[in-house]
Amino acid sequence: MSISLDLEKFEFDGVPKQRPLMMAGPCSAETEQQVMETARQLKAKGIHIYRAGIWKPRTRPNTFEGVGKEGLPWLRKVKEELGMLTATEVANVSHVFEALKYGVDILWLGARTTANPFAVQEIADALNGVDIPVLIKNPVNPDVELWIGAFERINQAGIKKLAAIHRGFSTYGKSFYRNDPQWQLPIELKRRIPQLTILTDPSHICGDRDLLFEISQKAMDLNFDGLIIESHITPDKALSDAAQQITPDALELMLKKLVLRKADINSAVIMHSLEELRHQIDKFDDKLIDILEQRMKIAERIGKYKKKNNITILQSSRWDELLHQRISSAEKKGLSEDFIIKVFRAIHQESINHQTKVMNE
Ligand code: PEP
Ligand code: MN
């Protein structure tokens, strides 16, 4: 489906038009003192756009779900006293009305909201005719169409200052990042909507402050436009997302370390193509692991069979024959003998381990 969006540049008077466009502030507004002091320190570091969650979408109940509208006057104070632009997440119509009432400058849709077209549509209807910039986080699931759909809904309500936030994607089970970056999705979004500003949210991708630099640098190397980073005066005491927040001082240090390579189209195109190729490699590796798992299951069945019939695990003639056969078919595919021997020795050893396991059960 073709996309027709009527967009304006995502830039603001008084905010330097440079890369990275920066937004920073605490995951959650907690107290007036924490909001004001974090803002003061960030302002002193040259941050112009201040983020703070007022309503927090928490995975489990009985955790801190944000201070609610009590925190809105604090954001208004940040705006009035420090001249920063303020931004907060809205997830329903009443959030929209409250945020507008207190003069919040920029709204964002959270990842869970973007995943729900009913919620996005209700917010779009509430915003109809209002002139306010809106940021849209990627949906929690890796679905570019759903992300684009949210832009269309909000844009159809007349909002032209739109930008995307890439915050990574949920996965089941253990993973290195809190939310897997899957860079190919924001890359595809950029391909489909080239004029769209895209910010990266290293905080929610990483879930761990030690990884922020690496993801921020990668976002810059991929030529994305900006960063939104969670910053708190006492991160370890934060009421939400403590492990991923950094002090304004640490943020400044990290930003200074970033290497901003020339944003030339060619290097961005090269990086994007590289990313796409890496994505293909990831997929093949996943398949390889699935195949190895299936192979080991068969080895276990063989083990059971051998146990039942009282046969030894290792039958050297079979192993020898197998290896020769594998070497010769791999050679036809341009894979060296040395490599195939190493790979199959390792596979064979793992197979024996699986067989032994079931024989000892
Ligand atoms: C946040 O920005 O604090 C937040 C809740 O983000 P997300 O919607 O990306 O989980
Ligand atoms: Mn957060």
Side-chain angles (χ1 to χ4, degrees), residues 27 51 56 204 230 241 244:
C27 175
R51 64 145 287 156
K56 300 304 298 179
H204 291 90
E230 286 186 344
D241 290 351
Q244 71 195 30

